[in-house]
Amino acid sequence: MIIVLKNAASPEQINNFTYMLENSYGVGVNRWDGIHSTVLGLIGDTTKVDIEFIDAQDIVESVKRVQEPYKKANRKFHPENTVIPINDTVTIGDGSLHIMAGPCSVESEEQIVQIARDVQQSGATLLRGGAFKPRTSPYAFQGLKSEGLDLLKAARRETGLPIVTEIMRVSHIDMFENVDIIQVGARNMQNFELLKELGKIDKPILLKRGLSSTIEEWLMSAEYIMAGGNDKVMLCERGIRTYETFTRNTLDVSAIPIIKKLSHLPVIVDPSHASGKSWLVEPLAMAAVAAGADGLIIEVHNDPPHALSDGAQSLTPKQFDTVAKKVFALKNALDQS
Ligand code: PEP
Ligand code: MN
């Protein structure tokens, strides 16, 4: 962190300020006295330094971070990729490609068990399905709630597929004990109380990117979970809000290599919520795999026109089969190149 001091700062003020920085934050301070101003360079772990507090000090002209404010999620301090074992057969982040597939919402036992069988046949290695749904309208289907969790477990018993499902509140954490991956949805990416509690458990977390969140804000949310001791975090790019209205969101393909550069955490891409249109799922899934994603999460429904949520972006099992074949073929080609 670089702090430029005002011209008028007296030697005594500068000394007091330097003493405060060293003692409050445990950082080293390098000082350069120029003709017009003094510049301080902070060395060491500056993640705990409150940049707004520094900026508000009388003698400070400007302040700039030169190091990222996240530490545990930062590749600089953890150069190897994080690898997350989910069960005996599924490991995410080890260079293999995994597809999480299933309906937006769990609707019935027949529905979830049949979709689980179908997507497994096509190569999906995890089952997704929402039991608690964050809907824009309070009148829209809100999910089968705890019954939905039970039905996901029934589908897991039938197929062996690990399950991924979204949590919305802290008080539900115990209910999610038997879930394999807990999803934090886009709308809750900055629910810091929820993130802190998820940091205390030993369970893989799929952290979706907020609708209008920057990459740094997203990584800071991962940092909240990791700061509590849970380092099993996967980041899910699911499209962001832009001025484009043709698609539901805009898939930020560049976020994939950027996250890979900045962080060691696995990246999962959701082409379904990014596009809002089933016919766009295949090209976006291909783009994601080509850009280096560790996995995909794709909505599949047995009867999309009658789905209780997100039918327009859901693939039929047959369409999913085609997409899965293509993305696995692409992945093989990339691995051999
Ligand atoms: C979902 O996965 O069904 C969902 C609600 O996703 P998001 O939080 O990305 O909108
Ligand atoms: Mn959905």
Side-chain angles (χ1 to χ4, degrees):
M1 185 175 290
I2 304 287
I3 305 171
V4 179
L5 301 181
K6 284 185 183 150
N7 226 345
S10 71
E12 192 194 350
Q13 282 177 311
I14 298 175
N15 285 341
N16 289 344
F17 186 53
T18 302
Y19 182 84
M20 183 283 289
L21 291 169
E22 287 169 340
N23 287 282
S24 307
Y25 301 118
V27 292
V29 180
N30 268 349
R31 172 173 166 176
W32 298 274
D33 290 308
I35 298 170
H36 298 297
S37 57
T38 294
V39 175
L40 304 179
L42 271 47
I43 358 181
D45 180 7
T46 56
T47 47
K48 294 200 175 76
V49 178
D50 181 349
I51 195 162
E52 277 148 28
F53 172 79
I54 302 292
D55 206 16
Q57 301 309 302
D58 273 350
I59 64 165
V60 172
E61 177 73 39
S62 65
V63 54
K64 191 173 167 25
R65 271 194 187 281
V66 289
Q67 229 178 47
E68 301 81 12
Y70 46 91
K71 191 157 185 252
K72 295 192 185 294
N74 197 327
R75 197 180 271 283
K76 271 188 201 149
F77 306 109
H78 186 299
E80 321 78 48
N81 289 330
T82 280
V83 174
I84 306 177
I86 307 297
N87 66 10
D88 294 343
T89 52
V90 179
T91 300
I92 295 181
D94 63 354
S96 55
L97 177 73
H98 287 279
I99 308 185
M100 311 170 178
C104 178
S105 300
V106 179
E107 296 175 10
S108 69
E109 180 158 356
E110 301 86 283
Q111 177 236 24
I112 193 70
V113 171
Q114 190 54 52
I115 294 176
R117 288 200 180 110
D118 290 343
V119 298
Q120 184 174 40
Q121 277 281 316
S122 303
T125 42
L126 300 106
L127 175 66
R128 69 145 284 150
F132 294 88
K133 295 303 304 174
R135 306 303 302 282
T136 303
S137 165
Y139 310 117
F141 178 58
Q142 303 286 307
L144 292 182
K145 307 190 170 82
S146 65
E147 190 198 340
L149 294 181
D150 292 340
L151 299 182
L152 280 165
K153 288 174 202 161
R156 179 176 58 191
R157 275 196 302 278
E158 289 293 320
T159 59
L161 291 178
I163 53 180
V164 187
T165 193
E166 177 168 354
I167 195 165
M168 296 216 288
R169 14 171 140 159
V170 171
S171 59
H172 286 173
I173 289 181
D174 287 346
M175 220 194 274
F176 279 64
E177 203 191 324
N178 239 321
V179 160
D180 300 284
I181 300 179
I182 300 181
Q183 174 177 327
V184 174
R187 289 152 193 84
N188 271 312
M189 189 205 84
Q190 286 192 321
N191 180 342
F192 299 119
E193 290 309 311
L194 179 60
L195 302 179
K196 279 191 235 172
E197 291 304 315
L198 293 173
K200 295 181 190 160
I201 62 173
D202 181 28
K203 175 87 60 199
I205 309 293
L206 182 71
L207 178 64
K208 288 195 145 196
R209 181 175 181 178
L211 279 72
S212 304
S213 297
T214 63
I215 286 172
E216 186 166 292
E217 286 164 343
W218 188 18
L219 286 168
M220 289 307 285
S221 290
E223 191 78 10
Y224 258 94
I225 300 170
M226 299 176 85
N230 184 357
D231 49 17
K232 295 183 189 148
V233 180
M234 287 162 262
L235 295 164
C236 178
E237 163 61 41
R238 44 79 72 204
I240 48 174
R241 285 248 163 113
T242 66
Y243 50 78
E244 183 54 72
T245 54
F246 190 89
T247 44
R248 185 174 180 184
N249 292 288
T250 297
L251 181 67
D252 183 5
V253 180
S254 59
I256 305 161
I258 293 171
I259 291 289
K260 290 272 166 197
K261 184 177 167 65
L262 299 178
S263 179
H264 49 87
L265 299 173
V267 181
I268 308 296
V269 172
D270 177 344
S272 308
H273 290 87
S275 63
K277 295 182 185 341
S278 59
W279 60 274
L280 276 172
V281 170
E282 179 183 308
L284 297 192
M286 298 289 269
V289 172
D294 298 284
L296 298 167
I297 180 163
I298 297 181
E299 287 187 343
V300 178
H301 196 279
N302 51 312
D303 183 9
H306 295 104
L308 295 182
S309 58
D310 287 350
Q313 67 194 36
S314 298
L315 300 178
T316 60
K318 194 159 171 271
Q319 290 167 331
F320 174 72
D321 190 64
T322 308
V323 173
K325 281 199 174 80
K326 290 198 176 172
V327 297
F328 285 125
L330 174 62
K331 172 71 175 148
N332 283 338
L334 290 168
D335 285 349
Q336 276 155 33
S337 68

